[in-house]
Amino acid sequence: MGAFRLARKIQDMKLDGKIAVVTGGSSGIGLATARTFLAEGARVYITGRRQAKLDDVVVALGSNAVAVQGDVSKPADLDRLYALIRKEVGHVDIVFANAGIGEVAPLGELTEEHVDALLDINIKGVIWTVQKALPLMGRGGSIILNASIVASKGWANWSVYSATKAAVRSFARTWASDLKGRDIRVNAVSPGVILTPGHSKTGLQAAELEAFYTYAAGITPLGRNGEDSEVAKVVAFLASDDSSFVTGSEIFADGGFAQV
């Protein structure tokens, strides 16, 4: 590639030189977003709970990706992440609070374990991920929260998960107000039914999951379910200066599922 073309390619990178954090970055939407951030020129720190999986992923992503094993529900793990970032680069420009779990259980059969797990990771994990990043963030920073269409829908058996995602959507509004004057934007992306490995951990059996995919595709205006890379592009938009006047907002990446 000639010098001019290389310079033009670098100039076209929307996140060139940015420092990004992606929690839950070893698979699904998190991994797809890490790839997109890297392609746009960012240095990306990804977290996940499984060290072996992280090791494989970071090799595939390349030298501008750094993996830090950790559980977002454990504040001490996030302290380790941000201490490393402070030591290596000194600041954070982008936070994608993506880590989360989805498990189904009907009202009447809810257990303390089920409720605590969802609250600890999907709500508390988002709080600690963002709050602990703030001392490293300056003007022009962008925080993106991974919500879901379930915050707007009323599916049976998904009550606690849906409530956690409604809380995440609310955080985008309230934190945008909390950070008024700091020029740090906070937005939420709400994916629809996306084909990711995470659905295998919802508690649905294989046949139930396949039936759900078929049903969802059938009532989605675009006539199909989404890909993780399609959500990643929306997150990259919210991370970039292209969305410089967008804060407190929710962008649906759902093929129209929750819109019509």
Side-chain angles (χ1 to χ4, degrees):
M1 182 180 294
F4 175 79
R5 289 178 62 196
L6 178 60
R8 181 63 180 269
K9 180 177 176 61
I10 294 173
Q11 185 180 35
D12 289 344
M13 290 180 176
K14 297 179 184 294
L15 304 177
D16 186 38
K18 300 290 188 180
I19 305 301
V21 169
V22 177
T23 62
S26 61
S27 66
I29 292 171
L31 177 56
T33 300
R35 287 197 186 102
T36 302
F37 282 179
L38 289 162
E40 292 291 350
R43 179 175 178 82
V44 183
Y45 289 80
I46 65 171
T47 73
R49 292 183 288 181
R50 295 172 293 167
Q51 185 66 59
K53 177 66 172 177
L54 281 172
D55 291 342
D56 291 341
V57 165
V58 79
V59 170
L61 290 177
S63 60
N64 229 17
V66 179
V68 181
Q69 188 277 331
D71 183 336
V72 296
S73 69
K74 299 178 180 178
D77 286 2
L78 289 164
D79 288 337
R80 280 193 298 106
L81 165 68
Y82 290 122
L84 177 65
I85 294 173
R86 183 185 295 276
K87 177 181 178 182
E88 291 190 349
V89 293
H91 70 283
V92 172
D93 300 297
I94 302 159
V95 174
F96 180 34
N98 165 72
I101 59 172
E103 296 176 354
V104 297
L107 182 63
E109 298 179 17
L110 299 176
T111 65
E112 187 173 2
E113 181 182 29
H114 171 81
V115 173
D116 285 348
L118 286 164
L119 295 181
D120 285 349
I121 294 176
N122 293 4
I123 295 182
K124 292 181 182 178
V126 171
I127 293 171
W128 306 139
T129 296
V130 172
Q131 181 165 283
K132 290 178 178 294
L134 288 178
L136 294 173
M137 298 191 76
R139 302 185 72 83
S142 178
I143 297 166
I144 306 104
L145 313 178
N146 196 358
S148 171
I149 57 169
V150 300
S152 304
K153 304 294 287 185
W155 292 344
N157 302 332
W158 291 84
S159 62
V160 180
Y161 176 67
S162 298
T164 66
K165 291 303 184 176
V168 170
R169 171 61 185 107
S170 180
F171 287 153
R173 291 190 177 101
T174 53
W175 290 348
S177 296
D178 283 342
L179 295 173
K180 182 178 180 180
R182 288 191 57 175
D183 193 26
I184 297 175
R185 298 179 295 109
V186 188
N187 292 289
V189 59
S190 284
V193 179
I194 308 298
L195 301 174
T196 71
H199 284 122
S200 64
K201 302 175 183 177
T202 59
L204 295 174
Q205 300 300 311
E208 293 175 314
L209 182 57
E210 189 60 34
F212 172 68
Y213 281 151
T214 300
Y215 164 76
I219 64 171
T220 298
L222 289 183
R224 63 179 177 85
N225 298 314
E227 301 288 340
D228 50 19
S229 60
E230 294 177 299
V231 181
K233 292 173 185 176
V234 177
V235 179
F237 164 72
L238 291 171
S240 76
D241 289 341
D242 285 350
S243 60
S244 59
F245 201 54
V246 180
T247 194
S249 294
E250 175 182 20
I251 296 183
F252 287 87
D254 68 346
F257 190 118
Q259 314 309 310
V260 300

